[in-house]
Amino acid sequence: MQQSPRPMLSRTVHVIGAGPAGLMAAERLAQAGATVVVHERMPSVARKMLMAGRGGLNLTHSEPLDRFTTRYGSAQPTAAAWIDRFPPADLTAWVEALGQETFVGSSGRVFPKTMKTSPLLRAWLARLEGLGVEIRTRSRWTGWRDGALAFETPDGERLETPDAVVLALGGASWPRLGSDGAWAPWLEAAGAAVAPFRPANVGFDVAWSGLLRDRFAGQPLKGVAITHGDRTARGEAMIARYGIEGGAVYALSSVLRAAVEADGTAQIRIDLKPDVATGRLTERLSQPRGKASLSNHLRKAVGLDPAAVALLYEAGPLPASPRAIAERIKAMPLILTGVQGLERAISSAGGVALDGVDERLMLKARPGVFVAGEMLDWEAPTGGYLLQASFASGVVAALGVIDWLDSRD
């Protein structure tokens, strides 16, 4: 649960990276009395958070914690420990304390009422300024030089020797927004294990027919269920010129990526009507259609829009039997032939190995250096899980800094 940071003796802590994890760590450290300097290589802060909020800032999710923490796959034990220190209820309370009301959507996702990032970010930056946090933009970390942190700035190289540092430089997705993974060699040279970056929450390639690609790219497949092996995700998918993307795809992206990496392809099955049983679909499709085309019959009898109908034809001509058509609607097969790259991924897997940091998120190989956010090797689907864990890891890293500095007094 949320805890107030313990007061600490005056110390200087530098935070590198001004995304959700870094700014949260900076806030907690400043509240504890530290002199905090935040470095951001870009001209402005939280660019990826601003981009993520363009369609509505999904802060967290309202589902029970025991289910919530299953979303982190192999990283579940570690992520659950972070979220125990700063759970969704605390994140929501924190947002509202910044003057931003929240609401729970029909899917259980939590959003600010404005749906936008910018009002929240402005209020947050005002709070940080009131706490005395200094933010230096266009300050790019370039590693260590003679034991000091080296920064490339508009005024030339600058060396800093704070009492502790929190690294929150992000992973390697959306590199044009500032997270390019360039830090990996420096941490490896310092003795930290860094797993290669891989795209997460990403779209997959499909060899569409020209008709579907040209006429229906950009069209959604709403309320579908996608299955791969024994895992199923419900939500929306989107037909893209290169293939398929969207929330239901992203929820399975880790297992789909692994399958493509291992076998070159992955097969999914799309249930276009997950709330309607095969038998009921068969009954509807068995009704006389008169002079209506089969496409119109599918639209009127079972509510399939033109994009969904076109998708059915990607598996070949539709069978004559209403039962067989119903079965295709319930399990439309699709072969994924590749994975989109990091530049198109919402997030990334890979990064600093979780066993390379202690429970305080301090690098075992370099005492006094703490790591938070997407720099660490974990991944989660969209739906609020990414931001929740990023914020929570920033809290844990800040508390870890305080604990470590206290132990040195």
Side-chain angles (χ1 to χ4, degrees), residues 229-246:
D230 61 355
R231 293 187 58 178
T232 298
R234 292 190 59 162
E236 184 173 295
M238 182 76 71
I239 297 170
R241 289 192 65 82
Y242 67 80
I244 192 166
E245 59 189 22

Side-chain angles (χ1 to χ4, degrees), residues 4-75:
S4 297
R6 298 189 305 273
M8 58 189 288
L9 296 176
S10 178
R11 292 285 189 273
T12 298
V13 183
H14 284 218
V15 177
I16 306 177
L23 293 178
M24 182 59 79
E27 178 179 330
R28 287 303 188 94
L29 288 163
Q31 287 172 338
T35 299
V36 181
V37 179
V38 177
H39 299 264
E40 171 55 51
R41 60 169 288 205
M42 302 299 282
S44 58
V45 306
R47 289 194 166 196
K48 190 172 178 182
M49 184 176 168
L50 285 163
M51 176 68 78
R54 290 178 69 176
L57 181 63
N58 185 190
L59 294 160
T60 186
H61 202 287
S62 62
E63 67 186 358
L65 274 181
D66 58 349
R67 180 170 175 76
F68 192 109
T69 56
T70 65
R71 308 297 188 175
Y72 297 91
S74 61

Side-chain angles (χ1 to χ4, degrees), residues 144 164-167 361-364 366-371 404:
W144 285 277
V165 61
V166 176
L167 302 179
L361 295 184
M362 185 171 71
L363 281 177
K364 294 176 182 177
R366 189 136 190 163
V369 177
F370 296 75
V371 184
W404 183 73

Side-chain angles (χ1 to χ4, degrees), residues 89-356:
D90 286 2
L91 175 54
T92 301
W94 174 82
V95 170
E96 297 200 340
L98 285 169
Q100 306 301 308
E101 291 185 71
T102 62
F103 74 96
V104 180
S106 58
S107 64
R109 299 181 181 195
V110 180
F111 300 88
K113 280 197 172 180
T114 64
M115 295 294 289
K116 298 177 181 178
T117 304
S118 51
L120 172 63
L121 183 59
R122 284 195 297 269
W124 194 6
L125 292 176
R127 175 185 286 179
L128 291 172
E129 182 180 12
L131 289 167
V133 173
E134 178 186 356
I135 297 178
R136 299 177 186 171
T137 56
R138 294 186 173 90
S139 181
R140 180 175 178 270
W141 184 51
T142 58
W144 285 277
R145 189 97 65 250
D146 299 325
L149 298 167
F151 295 91
E152 184 180 273
T153 78
D155 299 320
E157 185 178 68
R158 186 165 179 169
L159 302 180
E160 302 284 354
T161 55
D163 296 294
V165 61
V166 176
L167 302 179
L169 292 117
S173 64
W174 281 351
R176 63 189 177 87
L177 299 180
S179 299
D180 59 5
W183 49 264
W186 307 325
L187 266 64
E188 289 176 322
V194 180
F197 292 110
R198 294 165 294 161
N201 290 299
V202 68
F204 290 81
D205 301 335
V206 178
W208 294 129
S209 67
L211 174 66
L212 187 132
R213 182 179 61 250
D214 294 339
R215 288 189 58 186
F216 295 102
Q219 295 298 307
L221 299 169
K222 296 182 178 180
V224 300
I226 298 179
T227 297
H228 173 74
D230 61 355
R231 293 187 58 178
T232 298
R234 292 190 59 162
E236 184 173 295
M238 182 76 71
I239 297 170
R241 289 192 65 82
Y242 67 80
I244 192 166
E245 59 189 22
V249 177
Y250 302 154
L252 299 174
S253 65
S254 62
V255 294
L256 294 174
R257 183 187 66 227
V260 172
E261 289 173 349
D263 304 323
T265 63
Q267 185 180 70
I268 60 175
R269 299 189 307 279
I270 303 177
D271 185 346
L272 294 167
K273 287 292 175 180
D275 295 321
V276 185
T278 304
R280 182 60 180 147
L281 288 173
T282 303
E283 290 175 12
R284 294 178 182 177
L285 290 168
S286 298
Q287 297 171 2
R289 61 183 173 103
K291 295 181 180 180
S293 67
L294 181 54
S295 294
N296 277 334
H297 187 51
L298 288 166
R299 177 176 60 84
K300 292 179 179 178
V302 297
L304 293 183
D305 63 24
V309 173
L311 180 66
L312 291 177
Y313 282 97
E314 291 294 294
L318 290 183
S321 159
R323 175 76 184 189
I325 296 175
E327 288 173 348
R328 186 177 293 188
I329 291 171
K330 295 294 291 180
M332 166 64 200
L334 199 63
I335 300 297
L336 310 181
T337 60
V339 187
Q340 288 288 292
L342 284 162
E343 70 282 355
R344 294 186 64 94
I346 291 175
S347 60
S348 59
V352 177
L354 294 177
D355 61 6

Side-chain angles (χ1 to χ4, degrees), residues 1-3 65 69 78-88 90 392:
M1 297 300 291
Q2 186 173 3
Q3 303 171 18
L65 274 181
T69 56
T78 301
W82 302 343
I83 293 166
D84 184 60
R85 305 294 291 274
F86 191 68
D90 286 2

